[in-house]
Amino acid sequence: MAVAHDRGGKDSGGAAAGAGPVAAPSCAGRRGQDVDCDVLVIGGGINGAGIARDAAGRGLCVALCEQDDLAAHTSSASTKLIHGGLRYLEYFEFGLVRKALAEREVLLRAAPHIMWPMRFVMPHGPGQRAALLVRAGLFLYDRLARRELLPGSHGVRLSCHPAGRPLQPRFTQAFVYSDGWVDDARLVVLNAMDAAEKGACILTRTRCTAARREGGMWHVTLRKPDGKEKQLTARAVVNAAGPWTAALLAGALGLPQPDRLRLVKGSHIVVPRLFEHDHAYLFQHVDGRVVFVIPYEREFTLIGTTDVEYTGDPGKVAIDDAEIAYLCNAASACLRQPVRAQDVVWSYAGVRPLLEDASRDAKAVTRDYRLALDADGGAPLLSVFGGKLTTYRRLAEEAVDSLCRQLGRPAPAWTERACLPGGDLFGAVPQNRSVLEFDQWSASLQVHYAFLEPALVKRYARAYGTRIHTLLRGRANVAAMGEAILPGLFEAEVDYQRRHEWAVTAEDILWRRSKLGLHLGPDAVPALQAWLDRHPVLQA
């Protein structure tokens, strides 16, 4: 999902220092054969990163190439929810909803620092779906999958609930239910980090320009922004290019497309904080769509999303005035405080690559996924069509199961019982305690790192989890943090992101590895980019 920033400017210098040379995976030729890797994954969004992580953890030699930054498109432009998709029950997508609901708590336990439970308030008023229908839907939503962490749904009188005060007085009752919030871009980065720590080679800003089958292998050409090329051989290729999946098949891979993708644009706006409580809202709009209104980054409120058919370049997608007006009107129809276009401090838009189906309406197109295997010529190609953020781990597991069978390398699935980097708050095995006691764990860091401002330690805890100790290793005072490049951004953090998280540009740091760009204003990106240009990362 390409991101259009109304604050912070454009990406600058995709080939800047720190991107690194095109290199073969460290496992090249380890079995004495002329092959660079078992699996080449094309696409550094959530599905590609998840597949790379799973495959590397099963002992496969993996390389991943991404034409831009990790999560530069669809995977950083979601509504940032880990959810079953309550509205998909209307379209009888019970299998998808069950799968997504089962994944919520698996993911929460694996990465409690970048995701957490959230309660959602659905106001109910005249002219909306019948209350009995909503109750029935929530009853099913609560019971389609096992829950240990998330409380069930119930009805509330808004006059007795904090979430009632910001709403228009016509709303007297509401339903409250549970889902989860996630830092989507960091979720991608953590999957890539785990893949790399298990031996995968992660090649950002590296485009696949050609691939052919020959001698039971894939022979692939990879190109960096400076034009340098690397020839790579792989036993299997995964096409996880998101909105570019079809173009990659028809272009570099030279193969027909087995499934047709339907590109749907989703846009979001961010405004100054509209309410003080920590619940989110799900508003039912008059056109039958739902709009989420979510507390965001402490000082803001996130409103989204739209569903608009899209036929343009996925890399140039942007919100338009009609979508801004739609989101403002949808929120204003339910809130006491009107939301106006001039209140918008940031917006982003992107393209969801959805599986084509018989739905006329974009909002009804399935969010499920399909894995298409082409094993002609003895060199498998697995293409990923569709999918949603919440089900990425299951998708990756199924994809790697298939690859292992094709490659004759059987290995058990493992990710359901594994933490993502930084998520091992109380040990390597995911556990409910890490979710339920995160605040206590975070508070303990305030004592350990008392030389830093409490707000900064809290942000580090949320962004990095236990990897805060890597970031701050050997730093016993503020002077050891290095230069204060921008308010709240020390050289130590930038160095960590560049060395461990593939951050290259100011956009990577301020808008994907963090959302500091939202807090620091439009001058932050050029100021940080100038600093990065003056302080290149020395290549090993």
Side-chain angles (χ1 to χ4, degrees):
M1 216 171 210
V3 181
H5 297 306
D6 286 351
R7 292 175 63 181
K10 300 282 186 180
D11 230 11
S12 56
V22 177
S26 59
C27 46
R30 65 179 180 178
R31 285 177 294 279
Q33 299 183 27
D34 186 19
V35 59
D36 289 310
C37 63
D38 294 317
V39 179
L40 170 66
V41 180
I42 303 173
I46 189 58
N47 290 334
I51 290 169
R53 174 199 182 214
D54 192 313
R58 299 201 209 188
L60 295 176
C61 180
V62 178
L64 179 148
C65 68
E66 160 58 42
Q67 64 181 347
D68 298 307
D69 181 31
L70 295 170
H73 301 289
T74 303
S75 296
S76 62
S78 74
T79 311
K80 313 194 188 304
L81 299 180
I82 295 295
H83 66 142
L86 181 61
R87 70 183 179 91
Y88 305 146
L89 293 176
E90 290 188 68
Y91 305 109
F92 306 104
E93 294 260 17
F94 300 121
L96 171 63
V97 175
R98 180 184 295 109
K99 189 161 42 181
L101 288 173
E103 282 297 288
R104 293 180 306 179
E105 296 195 1
V106 172
L107 297 180
L108 285 168
R109 283 186 285 265
H113 51 314
I114 63 162
M115 59 183 83
W116 52 85
M118 182 172 281
R119 295 290 271 170
F120 289 77
V121 176
M122 187 192 314
H124 188 268
Q128 295 182 339
R129 297 166 178 85
L132 284 176
L133 181 63
V134 176
R135 287 182 186 275
L138 288 171
F139 180 86
L140 187 61
Y141 201 68
D142 284 342
R143 288 160 178 79
L144 274 174
R146 180 181 176 184
R147 287 180 294 107
E148 296 178 5
L149 291 167
L150 300 175
S153 61
H154 61 86
V156 296
R157 292 184 54 158
L158 288 171
S159 60
C160 305
H161 195 282
R165 287 193 290 273
L167 296 173
Q168 292 194 7
R170 75 173 186 278
F171 294 110
T172 60
Q173 63 175 330
F175 300 95
V176 180
Y177 71 96
S178 294
D179 267 320
W181 188 92
V182 63
D183 185 328
D184 50 7
R186 289 206 62 78
L187 182 62
V188 176
V189 169
L190 295 188
N191 275 271
M193 286 177 65
D194 208 16
E197 290 168 10
K198 290 174 170 57
C201 181
I202 308 298
L203 303 168
T204 62
R205 294 172 166 85
T206 301
R207 183 184 298 271
C208 173
T209 58
R212 72 183 192 283
R213 286 184 173 114
E214 185 178 303
M217 297 286 180
W218 280 101
H219 297 260
V220 183
T221 301
L222 304 178
R223 179 180 297 160
K224 297 292 281 188
D226 61 6
K228 291 182 180 178
E229 292 187 343
K230 164 73 181 178
Q231 304 302 314
L232 187 77
T233 55
R235 290 184 169 87
V237 167
V238 175
N239 175 6
W244 289 272
T245 298
L248 184 65
L249 280 169
L253 296 172
L255 295 170
Q257 181 184 345
D259 290 282
R260 184 167 172 237
L261 284 178
R262 188 169 177 178
L263 301 184
V264 175
K265 181 172 66 163
S267 297
H268 299 75
I269 58 174
V270 175
V271 299
R273 187 162 183 162
L274 296 171
F275 45 86
E276 294 303 316
H277 61 77
D278 60 0
H279 285 51
Y281 292 104
L282 184 152
F283 292 152
Q284 303 173 67
H285 201 36
V286 292
D287 63 0
R289 291 208 70 257
V290 299
V291 172
F292 291 100
V293 179
I294 304 170
Y296 189 59
E297 286 288 313
R298 304 178 308 281
E299 302 169 21
F300 303 95
T301 300
L302 173 66
I303 303 172
T305 180
T306 59
D307 280 311
V308 180
E309 297 283 354
Y310 188 76
T311 58
D313 181 350
K316 297 180 179 178
V317 63
I319 194 170
D320 59 36
D321 291 342
E323 289 177 288
I324 292 174
Y326 176 90
L327 294 173
C328 289
N329 291 336
S332 298
C334 299
L335 294 170
R336 290 178 186 264
Q337 178 181 337
V339 180
R340 303 163 300 176
Q342 55 265 40
D343 298 328
V344 176
V345 296
W346 181 49
S347 66
Y348 60 90
V351 176
R352 308 182 194 101
L354 305 180
L355 272 172
E356 180 65 279
D357 60 19
S359 304
R360 287 188 176 185
D361 193 344
K363 71 175 183 290
V365 182
T366 181
R367 266 58 173 175
D368 212 345
Y369 57 82
R370 173 177 165 79
L371 303 176
L373 178 67
D374 177 350
D376 289 347
L381 167 68
L382 189 70
S383 294
V384 179
F385 295 91
K388 62 197 295 282
L389 191 70
T390 308
T391 54
Y392 91 89
R393 192 204 62 82
R394 283 283 298 273
L395 181 156
E397 189 172 88
E398 292 175 26
V400 180
D401 284 346
S402 178
L403 291 169
C404 285
R405 287 193 297 269
Q406 290 295 316
L407 297 174
R409 298 281 305 282
W414 63 278
T415 57
E416 187 174 4
R417 295 285 294 164
C419 292
L420 282 160
D424 52 342
L425 273 57
F426 299 105
V429 178
Q431 51 190 289
N432 291 347
R433 183 184 177 193
S434 295
V435 181
L436 299 174
E437 299 179 25
F438 182 87
D439 289 342
Q440 294 93 311
W441 176 84
S442 178
S444 72
L445 296 176
Q446 306 285 348
V447 177
H448 194 74
Y449 297 111
F451 64 90
L452 292 175
E453 291 290 331
L456 184 61
V457 176
K458 186 175 182 180
R459 182 172 74 78
Y460 285 171
R462 273 298 177 198
Y464 305 106
T466 59
R467 297 300 172 97
I468 187 176
H469 304 306
T470 303
L471 191 161
L472 297 176
R473 184 177 295 134
R475 305 181 193 277
N477 50 58
V478 174
M481 297 293 290
E483 183 180 346
I485 306 168
L486 293 168
L489 182 65
F490 284 98
E491 185 175 353
E493 184 177 10
V494 171
D495 181 67
Y496 176 88
Q497 291 183 5
R498 295 170 95 183
R499 295 186 182 278
H500 297 276
E501 298 188 349
W502 299 275
V504 174
T505 70
E507 283 274 335
D508 299 346
I509 293 167
L510 296 178
W511 288 104
R512 283 182 287 277
R513 305 307 183 275
S514 74
K515 288 296 180 288
L516 286 173
L518 186 57
H519 299 274
L520 297 177
D523 295 335
V525 165
L528 177 56
Q529 190 60 53
W531 189 94
L532 295 173
D533 293 341
R534 294 194 305 271
H535 299 81
V537 175
L538 299 178
Q539 300 300 321

